[in-house]
Amino acid sequence: MIQLKNVSKYYPAGFGKTYVLRNINLEIKEREFVSIMGPSGSGKSTLLHILGLLEEASEGEYVLGETPVLKLSEKKRTELHRTSIGFVFQAYHLIDELTVYENIETPLLYKGQSSSERKSRVADVLDRFNIVAKKDLFPSQLSGGQQQLVGIARAIVAEPKIIFADEPTGNLHSEHAQQIMELFKELNQKDGVTIVQVTHSEANAEYGNRIIRLKDGWVENA
Ligand code: ADP
Ligand code: ADP
């Protein structure tokens, strides 16, 4: 599902380069639930952003599904991000001016689904996550845990095969965190969604089947 070959990411620094990721070789198979761990500054977010099509690698090869991502234009990459994957952010990243319903609907608009298709998909997800009563509220009217439920609802509404999550429970109390991790586990086991999360929490990592450890931009194990 995911293949990285000799992927590096650097930023210009004076006359040289500062490497954030070096020669990453990685394979993630369909239906895996992988956790990326490592100290702050080790490159976890950068790696997840590259995998999730939010940033481009500087060197190497990245194949997502059948698509050689690094050969795409930025426009095509953004389009692929919007239509084929789900991305969950630590700080939710909901659109403040849109209701819960409208936030969840956005990926379906990007996909060009008809209004009746959108209605039925959003209704299904609201129902599954038990947030029907919140549908006309704005993000600021919700607790953190509820906002993250909406963030995940938005990530899965278009039924992507893979979800990337950047410390999805980093802003939540442990009770809500557990609830969110149970949800990812269910999406992985029941719906067969591949999940790649960045986490600082060993407890969160235990929900997955494999840990990738980063240190100073290198993969310590793969
Ligand atoms: P975290 O606290 O999640 O480990 P960081 O504090 O390392 O995150 O980075 C927060 C954000 O700031 C990241 O999105 C990163 O791209 C950006 N950033 C971090 N370091 C630099 C830098 N030296 N120059 C420019 N942007 C940076
Ligand atoms: P982590 O998520 O593991 O905390 P990051 O991927 O956020 O690590 O950052 C890894 C390193 O890359 C950090 O040292 C950070 O300062 C650096 N970095 C991130 N973004 C930028 C940027 N835009 N310009 C320069 N350095 C950056």
Side-chain angles (χ1 to χ4, degrees), residues 11 18 20 38-47 166-167 198 200 214:
Y11 293 100
T18 302
V20 174
S40 192
S42 59
K44 303 181 297 296
S45 291
T46 304
L47 177 59
D166 196 355
E167 297 202 41
V198 163
H200 279 111
L214 285 185

